[in-house]
């Protein structure tokens, strides 16, 4: 590693020596044409990657959405056909609705619990150990998370159902009940992301000056009162950011659903990304899948735009 | 002495009350915190417990907290060390799982992506902060716009591209789309490079160091904390990725761990799930990330915040 890093550096050093005499100012302080060539060299890999694997596919994906395309034969331009079909397709709307339900349950529960956890980590113990433990689920893949909970919540053999039986609630058909499957998936997501979200909020909490709490304590304010009057108002901009980041992430849910229910029972957990995947790789309707992808992207872009607005508002709020 | 330091009786009472009142709340707080910790850790323990059990025992004893019918067979099946007969005898589906190959594939993809992407991003970030050239701000704006495109949108067109390049079912096809580019990494490193003082680099330049040398020997060592954090995040993301490798790979030769787990799960119909083998396999898939975390926990935990790590 050191060798490969040093070799070009040494060569460039030699070249640089030959090409230009020593200067006593940094290039960026004195405009000169020589920088352009060096700069092109430095940005080339990332820019090429951006162009080929991000910009070009984005444009192409939009193009595909106006075509009939099955990958094996060239795409046929069909104008707005895919979009017309999409708005009339009950399956598309169903999957959007299922995704929204998943997002709402996930974000609602996750935010409340994460604020609670962050406040506990802030007011009770600043232990790195506790924060690390809470972050652990965030580090393993959605696939692993899905399979473990598939097992824990198994109707016959799962320890989770055994526990529910033991405390008197009785077994719950988590994976087979079309009313329960989306909340189940959402709560598993909460389990995975709780520690991470709490850490983001914790970082926000750390920006609140300690003196405010000291002053509050001197005035005899309770923890609850201080939470309502100091913590929550000052945390608001951070909270808004965290919520929006989580919303964007959870709209794209796929892995967890794919390894647990596969969209079932029937299509009760058919989230939008699952619908797109099945259209493309199950029915080879890449054009139609692209149209649904564009719809999802538009939803995400609107939310990203909101986030952008909020993050600017947030920073000026705290300044 | 006692008379001098003991506060007036009323003050003492007040003091005790004030100290006791939050302690009740504290107990409740700790109770909540500890239960959250237990719920967080338990599934990991349960993975291990199940992996060390036999399927036959798992069917009859669903609630013992320790492994039932203790056995390493789950791990042997997951690593492809057990024969089909052994696997069937032990309640496995008989489906073969070759996690060693998948593990190697995952290591190759995640390592390549992490090294190349971090390097390419650092180079770009250097050009965006330390060099003055025409078009710099325009190009950076394009990177920022790239940051807004949900990666998920690029998957289908990128699949088509990989197909055209003949890279379907290869590790190269899995690595390529994220190999050179993460707008986020460029953005993140640019922010960090901007905070590094110009003086040392100036001194290096006076000593005759060229741009590459300045980047590698002056800027990168100072940016080491940011680079390491970024590399860890990239590695974890590459390791855990599922949907893209699922699209690209369709045989054992290019199957990474996450996809192999999904395939293993789908091979079993619900009644005959090889839970011991499956949990052993998930544990093997999760272990490298857990070990990585064990080493870097403090750095990761302290770096998650609004400085841009997402």
């Amino acid at each position: 590693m050191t060798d490969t890093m040093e070799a070009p550096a040494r060569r460039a050093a030699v070249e640089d020596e030959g090409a230009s005499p020593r200067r006593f100012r940094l290039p960026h302080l004195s405009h000169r044409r020589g920088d352009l060539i060096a700069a092109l060299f430095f940005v080339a890999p990332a820019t090429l990657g951006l162009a080929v694997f991000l910009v070009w596919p984005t444009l192409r994906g939009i193009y595909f959405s106006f075509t009939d395309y099955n990958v094996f034969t060239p795409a046929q331009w069909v104008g707005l056909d895919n979009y017309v079909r999409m708005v009339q397709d009950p399956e598309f709307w169903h999957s959007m609705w299922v995704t929204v339900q998943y997002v709402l349950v996930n974000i609602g529960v996750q935010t409340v619990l994460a604020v609670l956890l962050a406040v506990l980590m802030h007011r009770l113990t600043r232990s790195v150990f506790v924060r690390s433990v809470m972050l652990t689920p965030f580090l393993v893949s959605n696939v692993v998370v899905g399979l473990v909970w598939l097992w824990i919540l198994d109707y016959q053999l799962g320890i989770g159902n055994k526990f529910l039986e033991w405390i008197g609630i009785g077994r719950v058909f988590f994976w087979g009940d079309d009313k329960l499957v989306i909340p189940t998936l959402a709560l598993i997501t909460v389990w995975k992301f709780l520690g991470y979200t709490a850490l983001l909020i914790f970082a926000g909490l750390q920006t609140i000056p300690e003196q405010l709490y000291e002053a509050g304590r001197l005035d005899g304010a309770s923890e609850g009162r201080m939470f309502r009057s100091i913590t929550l108002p000052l945390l608001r901009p951070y909270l808004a950011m965290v919520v929006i980041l989580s919303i964007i992430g959870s709209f794209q849910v796929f892995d967890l659903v794919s390894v647990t229910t596969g969209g079932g029972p029937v299509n009760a957990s058919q989230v939008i990304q699952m619908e797109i995947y099945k259209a493309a790789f199950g029915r080879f309707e890449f054009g139609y899948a692209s149209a649904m992808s564009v719809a999802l992207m538009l939803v995400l872009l609107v939310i990203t735009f909101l986030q952008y607005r909020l993050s600017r508002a947030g920073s000026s709020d705290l300044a | 002495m006692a008379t001098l330091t003991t506060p007036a009786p009323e003050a003492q009472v007040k003091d005790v009350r004030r100290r006791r009142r939050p302690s009740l709340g504290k107990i409740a707080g700790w109770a909540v915190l500890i239960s959250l910790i237990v719920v967080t850790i338990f599934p990991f323990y349960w993975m291990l417990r199940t992996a060390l059990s036999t399927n036959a025992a798992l069917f009859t004893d669903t609630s013992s907290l320790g492994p039932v019918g203790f056995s390493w067979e789950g791990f042997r099946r997951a690593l492809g060390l057990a024969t089909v007969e052994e696997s069937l005898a032990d309640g496995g589906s008989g489906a073969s799982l070759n996690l060693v190959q998948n593990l190697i594939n995952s290591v190759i993809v995640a390592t390549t992506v992490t090294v190349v992407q971090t390097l390419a991003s650092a180079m770009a970030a250097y050009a965006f902060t330390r060099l003055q050239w025409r078009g710099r701000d325009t190009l950076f704006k394009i990177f920022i716009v790239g940051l807004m495109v949900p990666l998920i949108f690029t998957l289908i067109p990128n699949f088509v591209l990989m197909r055209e390049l003949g890279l379907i079912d290869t590790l190269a096809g899995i690595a390529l789309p994220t190999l050179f580019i993460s707008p986020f990494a460029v953005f993140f490193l640019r922010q960090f490079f901007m905070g590094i003082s110009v003086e040392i680099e100036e001194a290096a330049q006076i000593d005759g160091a060229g741009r590459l040398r300045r980047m590698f020997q002056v800027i990168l060592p100072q940016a080491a904390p940011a680079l390491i954090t970024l590399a860890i995040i990239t590695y974890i993301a590459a390791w855990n990725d599922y949907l893209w490798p699922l699209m690209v790979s369709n045989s054992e030769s290019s199957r990474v761990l996450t996809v192999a787990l999904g395939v293993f799960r789908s091979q079993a119909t619900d009644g005959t799930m090889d839970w011991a083998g499956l949990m052993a396999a998930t544990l093997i898939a999760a272990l490298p990330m857990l070990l990585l975390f064990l080493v870097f926990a403090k750095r990761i935990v302290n770096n998650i915040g609004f400085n841009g790590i997402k």
Side-chain angles (χ1 to χ4, degrees), chain B residues 14-282:
Chain B
K14 219 176 184 178
D15 206 36
V16 166
R17 205 191 297 149
R18 197 186 290 161
R19 215 179 295 146
R20 195 174 287 162
R21 208 191 304 141
S23 84
L24 261 177
K26 250 185 186 165
I27 291 169
W30 275 108
V32 173
L33 190 59
I34 288 170
S35 33
L36 285 176
I37 290 175
V38 169
V39 173
T40 301
I41 295 186
F42 179 78
F44 290 98
Y45 170 71
W46 207 243
M47 250 192 262
L48 182 66
R49 177 262 186 194
T50 309
L52 293 173
S53 304
T54 60
N55 282 314
L58 285 175
F59 269 93
T60 49
D61 187 347
T62 50
S63 56
S64 292
L65 286 179
V68 285
F70 185 92
S71 135
W72 293 99
E73 283 305 310
F75 284 100
R76 288 194 60 217
R77 281 200 299 284
L79 293 170
L81 299 173
T83 63
V84 174
E85 294 81 53
E86 279 179 316
S87 163
L88 287 172
D90 210 49
S93 61
S96 65
L97 193 60
N98 187 6
L99 275 194
V100 179
Q101 181 61 48
N102 308 137
L103 200 71
I104 293 170
N105 288 347
S106 279
V107 169
I108 292 173
V109 169
T111 309
T112 316
V113 167
T114 303
V115 171
V116 178
Q117 192 199 87
T118 309
L119 189 65
S121 304
M123 285 170 67
Y126 182 83
F128 282 130
T129 49
R130 295 300 163 119
L131 300 177
Q132 191 74 43
W133 43 288
R134 196 193 284 214
R136 182 177 80 167
D137 296 341
T138 314
L139 186 60
F140 186 68
K141 271 185 198 130
I142 297 176
F143 271 78
I144 293 293
V145 172
L147 195 60
M148 292 202 174
V149 177
L151 214 55
I152 209 154
F153 183 74
T154 62
L155 296 186
I156 287 178
N158 265 332
F159 169 81
V160 174
L161 181 63
M162 290 305 141
R163 211 176 154 272
E164 287 158 352
L165 294 173
L167 290 175
I168 292 300
D169 208 24
T170 64
L171 293 182
I174 296 175
L176 212 48
T178 46
L179 189 59
F180 295 108
I181 182 62
S182 154
F184 165 72
V186 175
F187 180 73
F188 173 75
L189 287 178
R190 179 178 171 270
Q191 295 289 95
F192 199 87
F193 286 2
M194 285 198 304
I196 296 174
S197 85
V198 188
E199 279 77 28
I200 306 172
E201 203 188 343
E202 240 165 355
Q205 194 186 14
I206 292 166
D207 288 345
R211 294 187 195 86
L212 261 182
R213 197 195 181 106
R214 293 206 299 271
M215 184 185 110
F216 279 109
Q217 297 189 341
V218 180
I219 301 287
L220 291 195
Q222 291 189 75
L227 285 170
I228 293 172
T229 306
L230 184 70
I232 295 169
I233 299 283
T234 309
Y235 200 90
I236 293 173
W239 186 272
N240 289 341
D241 199 11
Y242 176 69
L243 180 50
W244 173 248
L246 177 71
M247 286 179 174
V248 175
S249 94
N250 44 36
S251 78
E252 190 60 38
S253 64
S254 69
R255 208 164 271 161
V256 293
L257 272 172
T258 47
V259 178
L261 287 177
V263 170
F264 188 51
R265 182 257 185 274
S266 63
Q267 276 170 347
T269 45
D270 279 326
T272 61
M273 188 77 88
D274 174 10
W275 288 114
L278 190 62
M279 287 302 110
T282 53

Side-chain angles (χ1 to χ4, degrees), chain A residues 79-80 100 120 206 274 311:
Chain A
L80 286 171
V100 168
L120 289 177
Q206 281 181 318
M274 196 87 202
S311 67

Side-chain angles (χ1 to χ4, degrees), chain A residues 20 23 27 44 81 89 91 96 111 127 129 168 172 191 204 223 233 256 284 301 309 319:
Chain A
S20 60
R23 290 190 173 237
D81 281 9
D89 183 356
E91 270 198 39
M96 269 293 184
T111 309
S127 145
F129 174 76
V172 177
W191 177 80
E223 281 289 328
L256 185 64
F284 297 105
L301 280 180
R309 291 284 300 272

Side-chain angles (χ1 to χ4, degrees), chain A residues 16 25-27 32 35 39 42 53 57 60 71 132 134 139 151 159 162 191 196 200 238 254 259-260, chain B residues 39-40 46 50 62 123 132-133 152 157-158 163-164 198 205 210-211 240 242-243 265 275 293 306 310:
Chain A
D16 213 44
R25 307 202 60 184
L26 261 195
R32 54 171 194 166
D35 262 4
F42 276 98
F53 300 111
R60 224 176 161 194
V71 207
S132 306
M134 291 309 298
L139 302 162
W151 166 227
I159 185 73
K162 205 75 195 166
W191 177 80
Y196 175 70
L200 283 177
Y238 291 95
F254 175 84
V259 297
T260 52
Chain B
V39 173
T40 301
W46 207 243
T50 309
T62 50
M123 285 170 67
Q132 191 74 43
W133 43 288
I152 209 154
N158 265 332
R163 211 176 154 272
E164 287 158 352
V198 188
Q205 194 186 14
R211 294 187 195 86
N240 289 341
Y242 176 69
L243 180 50
R265 182 257 185 274
W275 288 114
F293 187 48
F306 287 89
K310 57 167 196 176

